[in-house]
Amino acid sequence: MTDPQYSRRGLLRWSGAAGLGAAGLALLPPGAARADAPDVASTAAATDAAVTAAGATAAGQSAGTVLATEFDPIRPPAVPLAVRSPYLSTWLPADNPAGTWPTFWTGRTTAMTGIAEIDGVPFLFLGAPNISGHVLRGMALRRLTTTATKSRFLFEASGVELTLTFHSPVEPADLRRQSVPLSYVTADVRSTDGGSHQVRLYFDISGEWVHADSGTPIRWSQEQVAGSGSALTALSFTPDTPRLLAENGDMATWGSIVWSATNRSGLTWQIGADTAVRPAALNDGRLGNSSDSDQPRPINDNWPVFAFHFDLGSVGRSTESAVLSVGHVREPAVSYLGTQLPPLWKSSWSSWQQMAAFFHADAAAAGRRGDALDRRIREEATAAGGERYAALCAIALRQAYAGTELVSRDGQPWAFLKEISSDGNVSTIDVTYPAMPAFAYTDPEYLGLLLAPMLDYAEHGGWPKTFAEHDLGSSYPNASGHNDGNEEDMPIEESANILIMSAAYAARTSGAKARTFAAAHYPILKQWADYLVDNTLDPGFQNQTDDFTGFIGHSANLALKGIIAVGAAGQLAALAGKTADADHYRAVSRDYISQWVGLAQDASGDHLKLAYDQPGTWSLKYNGYPDALLGLGLVPKQVAAQEAAWYLTQVNQYGVPLDVRHSYTKGDWEMWTAAWLRDHPVSGYLVDALYAFAHTSPSRVPFTDWYDTVTDHQSGFQARPVIGGVFALLSLGQAR
């Protein structure tokens, strides 16, 4: 079934310059998007049709009968499934979930199985189980729809349509709901051929969800959880000997996986060996409501699985549904300077059972809220940057938020961030900085909560240096600080980052909150601003956020960041009632920017240099974006126009390199640059190029921010919250 409201334009609107690979094209019916893609060159269209027809012929079918999977609005590099926190981050590294195991963001298998029995015939729609005595057919995946909060797979088989939805809520301005570390999995089934069909659904997950070492012994339990309007069956499992506040393979070594189903007629459950539980479901048409007594035992010892079976009975045109959730709950959540902090959800519910009951009772309302947020983002992103830009936002939001979590500190909410897949640091300032646009756009108060521990540590925690810290601890979840001063110093980088983020927050919260915030933190903000006044115009040999490129002296982009941060300090000083300081910082920022233009200008006169002392070089000046974000108007318009024109002379097939030294780039910085230069043609090119990379890359990992603009491959990093930088275009104009 093809719903006319969904189009294939997300597949074929990209031109031949960065065109889709043959493998991707072979998935499409011939000519599927011709009317949707007026911007595709005629030669590219001819090539597309030829490749598609060749794929159909190779498959032994006529060109008109190729069965296609539609991707609306994009084919994600990896599809977000349960993506809610640093430790609940499961993805599908493929297009079709049938035949592929989901994985944690690291690539470790976190097995989840889904089987639909239709009139007695079993069809696989999720995972890659091998079930003795059974040959599973595969349900046909007709469409994958990705929104900011949901991934929705539409399957068909034998006159039945199955819609499998993974919903990881993002709840702006609702800290109670945002703090819940659970994610929904729903299956909606209906007949599409006018008849009625006997339908059963089977789901399971494995012990691999709770620990990265499969030799780890785990124990488990089942319980019935009463709730207001929504009773549920909960299966939970945990390491037998948890190691508190520690990790193994980036997964927590303490806490529990909670796997729950809303009770309904025909629901049964079982915990036991995969080789026993899965065949039982298919052979008996139900599960035994029983738990294997051989526990604790290692995850890989007869591979215990945690299973639910739904006998939906006779299914006609009316939809029958199964509602599940999966989550990772742990106490404490993090430690801060030696003090263990509880997760924020504990402020609302005394137990995870109560929280899970609420979460299930809230499922329908949460779905509607998610739909509303998804529509808002899609509509506003399309208006800001076009359909491909909206597609990028759809695959970025969950990843940005899932790098963070809410805790309670002395009864007050704080948010911590994990530097996923790079250093694993706690609340790294120069990782929060590129992620900032997602929070500035969706929920500025959340940005304030991320800033809170960073500011507190510098003010009260024992940080010994005059410039801002790089992070709050070397290894998540322990924010142990660096009171010995031994850390990855980025003096101008971090001082400027936190001033810019503070000004962005202050511009988007209420006037009263902004004044209170600026006054409360003014001494430390002024200290960092004064450091920048003394050091930023011509930076010394320093490290900076793109540390994989190495230290650099006289960096033009780093200087620009610092100058804009001095301008931000002027805004914060004004909010704090420090009029003389505000005038001073504004004057300094204007003076410095005029000098900066001369220092950074290449002798050719057509672009800015990478560093003052490196003629003939260039780099993306993505730090022009906060000038637009804060409305400072410091960078001269003619300089922005010059850079915009220059970047268009440096394009590769999948983007503009980060600088002259390499062919790789950073997707977050490309989107910052697109936002800064939004009135120039290069902005649209950068959006289109990042879309082309994400849509076609063979690197099937959670959205990487570091990739090669020539080869279309990941260069490093994945699943990082910095991908929130995609929201840079949307974040403009969000201030009071």
Side-chain angles (χ1 to χ4, degrees):
M1 297 287 289
T2 300
D3 190 329
Q5 68 174 307
Y6 297 102
S7 77
R8 295 182 178 86
R9 68 169 54 92
L11 278 174
L12 288 182
R13 284 179 63 93
W14 182 245
S15 73
L20 301 174
L25 286 170
L27 295 173
L28 293 171
R34 296 285 72 81
D36 282 342
D39 55 336
V40 177
S42 58
T43 54
T47 301
D48 291 350
V51 172
T52 306
T57 302
Q61 298 171 322
S62 68
T65 60
V66 176
L67 298 178
T69 297
E70 300 177 14
F71 298 93
D72 180 26
I74 191 170
R75 183 230 67 175
V79 185
L81 301 181
V83 179
R84 195 79 161 97
S85 77
Y87 300 130
L88 183 64
S89 185
T90 289
W91 303 74
L92 179 73
D95 298 334
N96 193 335
T100 301
W101 287 126
T103 67
F104 190 60
W105 68 258
T106 60
R108 169 180 167 76
T109 295
T110 43
M112 179 180 281
T113 299
I115 300 169
E117 274 194 276
I118 303 172
D119 298 325
V121 178
F123 291 85
L124 180 69
F125 61 84
L126 175 60
N130 182 11
I131 304 176
S132 178
H134 293 273
V135 176
L136 302 181
R137 297 179 60 186
M139 292 196 85
L141 178 63
R142 296 292 185 244
R143 182 166 62 242
L144 169 59
T145 304
T146 310
T147 68
T149 67
K150 298 182 180 73
S151 299
R152 182 175 291 116
F153 300 89
L154 179 65
F155 298 96
E156 285 184 349
S158 296
V160 169
E161 179 182 273
L162 166 64
T163 302
L164 178 67
T165 303
F166 291 88
H167 175 201
S168 295
V170 174
E171 301 277 7
D174 190 334
L175 293 181
R176 182 177 64 144
R177 287 185 167 92
Q178 184 60 40
S179 71
V180 175
L182 306 175
S183 186
Y184 294 108
V185 184
T186 60
D188 298 308
V189 179
R190 69 183 184 94
S191 170
T192 59
D193 63 3
S196 295
H197 300 272
Q198 294 294 317
V199 180
R200 297 167 178 158
L201 299 178
Y202 171 88
F203 290 91
D204 73 39
I205 63 174
S206 73
E208 293 157 296
W209 282 68
V210 82
H211 203 285
D213 181 357
S214 292
T216 299
I218 61 172
R219 61 173 58 251
W220 51 81
S221 65
Q222 177 274 337
E223 54 198 295
Q224 293 296 314
V225 179
S228 177
S230 184
L232 57 138
T233 300
L235 312 180
S236 61
F237 50 102
T238 190
D240 184 51
T241 308
R243 292 175 53 227
L244 204 64
L245 295 167
E247 292 185 336
N248 182 298
D250 280 289
M251 297 181 78
T253 56
W254 83 110
S256 299
I257 293 294
V258 177
W259 173 231
S260 307
T262 300
N263 287 344
R264 56 157 293 156
S265 61
L267 173 65
T268 53
W269 63 272
Q270 191 167 338
I271 302 171
D274 61 342
T275 53
V277 174
R278 291 168 185 160
L282 298 181
N283 293 336
D284 304 336
R286 66 186 311 278
L287 292 172
N289 291 333
S290 61
S291 177
D292 196 326
S293 61
D294 181 16
Q295 63 162 317
R297 72 172 189 252
I299 293 167
N300 59 9
D301 182 356
N302 288 312
W303 297 99
V305 296
F306 306 82
F308 290 111
H309 187 271
F310 301 83
D311 188 340
L312 302 181
S314 180
V315 176
R317 291 184 178 275
S318 298
T319 298
E320 292 289 337
S321 300
V323 179
L324 306 99
S325 72
V326 63
H328 191 281
V329 297
R330 67 193 203 283
E331 299 179 50
V334 302
S335 69
Y336 177 67
L337 302 181
T339 299
Q340 296 180 359
L341 303 184
L344 187 63
W345 63 261
K346 287 289 291 183
S347 300
S348 298
W349 299 281
S350 62
S351 68
W352 67 254
Q353 289 88 345
Q354 291 180 349
M355 176 179 63
F358 172 86
F359 190 69
H360 276 251
D362 196 41
R368 291 190 293 270
R369 290 192 304 273
D371 288 344
L373 179 61
D374 294 342
R375 284 193 300 271
R376 173 195 161 198
I377 290 173
R378 187 162 191 168
E379 291 170 2
E380 295 182 2
T382 300
E387 291 177 350
R388 296 179 204 132
Y389 178 63
L392 294 170
C393 291
I395 59 173
L397 188 68
R398 280 170 282 178
Q399 181 170 316
Y401 270 89
T404 72
E405 60 184 333
L406 288 161
V407 305
S408 174
R409 201 263 183 142
D410 297 332
Q412 297 299 311
W414 272 9
F416 283 91
L417 174 146
K418 179 178 178 180
E419 185 180 344
I420 289 175
S421 90
S422 37
D423 284 344
N425 298 159
V426 183
S427 292
T428 311
I429 293 176
D430 69 291
V431 171
T432 309
Y433 178 68
M436 167 185 61
F439 309 120
Y441 169 73
T442 57
D443 190 355
E445 296 306 320
Y446 201 83
L447 175 59
L449 298 180
L450 287 164
L451 290 170
M454 301 174 188
L455 292 164
D456 182 85
Y457 175 54
E459 293 166 333
H460 309 297
W463 171 241
K465 298 183 178 180
T466 57
F467 50 80
E469 71 273 14
H470 171 266
D471 59 75
L472 301 186
S474 297
S475 183
Y476 201 90
N478 294 294
S480 52
H482 300 281
N483 288 3
D484 60 0
N486 184 19
E487 58 129 36
E488 188 182 4
D489 283 351
M490 296 182 181
I492 290 174
E493 175 75 43
E494 308 300 16
S495 302
N497 289 344
I498 201 162
L499 282 165
I500 289 168
M501 288 191 289
S502 294
Y505 164 68
R508 284 157 179 78
T509 190
S510 69
K513 283 186 178 179
R515 291 187 291 272
T516 299
F517 172 85
H521 299 294
Y522 190 72
I524 194 65
L525 296 172
K526 183 180 189 305
Q527 176 181 311
W528 293 331
D530 290 341
Y531 173 84
L532 292 176
V533 169
D534 292 340
N535 293 279
T536 201
L537 178 59
D538 189 357
F541 190 68
Q542 292 198 4
N543 202 358
Q544 37 69 58
T545 186
D546 301 318
D547 52 1
F548 50 88
T549 66
F551 279 63
I552 186 171
H554 317 292
S555 168
N557 195 39
L558 187 60
L560 175 60
K561 175 181 291 187
I563 293 166
I564 291 171
V566 172
Q571 295 179 331
L572 292 164
L575 286 168
K578 308 293 184 179
T579 305
D581 284 354
D583 292 342
H584 169 65
Y585 293 133
R586 288 169 182 151
V588 170
S589 65
R590 289 193 294 268
D591 174 47
Y592 281 7
I593 201 71
S594 63
Q595 296 185 61
W596 174 81
V597 170
L599 290 165
Q601 184 69 51
D602 188 69
S604 65
D606 54 13
H607 67 275
L608 302 175
K609 292 175 285 189
L610 168 67
Y612 297 159
D613 62 345
Q614 296 185 29
T617 62
W618 62 272
S619 66
L620 284 179
K621 300 300 186 291
Y622 54 80
N623 283 314
Y625 158 71
D627 188 40
L629 180 73
L630 301 178
L632 292 168
L634 288 171
V635 182
K637 291 183 178 180
Q638 64 271 26
V639 172
Q642 171 190 275
E643 284 293 282
W646 174 258
Y647 298 152
L648 280 179
T649 71
Q650 303 300 314
V651 300
N652 286 331
Q653 189 161 352
Y654 296 98
V656 178
L658 185 62
D659 61 49
V660 68
R661 297 171 291 180
H662 308 279
S663 61
Y664 60 60
T665 195
K666 292 281 266 76
D668 48 347
W669 298 145
E670 286 187 300
M671 293 302 94
W672 279 46
T673 305
W676 171 43
L677 302 175
R678 62 198 178 282
D679 296 326
H680 301 275
V682 72
S683 180
Y685 169 78
L686 289 167
V687 168
D688 289 347
L690 183 58
Y691 174 92
F693 163 74
H695 186 73
T696 66
S697 176
S699 301
R700 304 308 298 267
V701 300
F703 203 171
T704 179
D705 53 290
W706 184 17
Y707 71 94
D708 193 277
T709 61
V710 174
T711 68
D712 200 25
H713 282 71
Q714 172 194 28
S715 294
F717 306 154
Q718 59 199 52
R720 299 211 304 165
V722 303
I723 212 66
V726 164
F727 282 78
L729 276 160
L730 270 178
S731 67
L732 299 179
Q734 294 292 312
R736 290 189 311 277

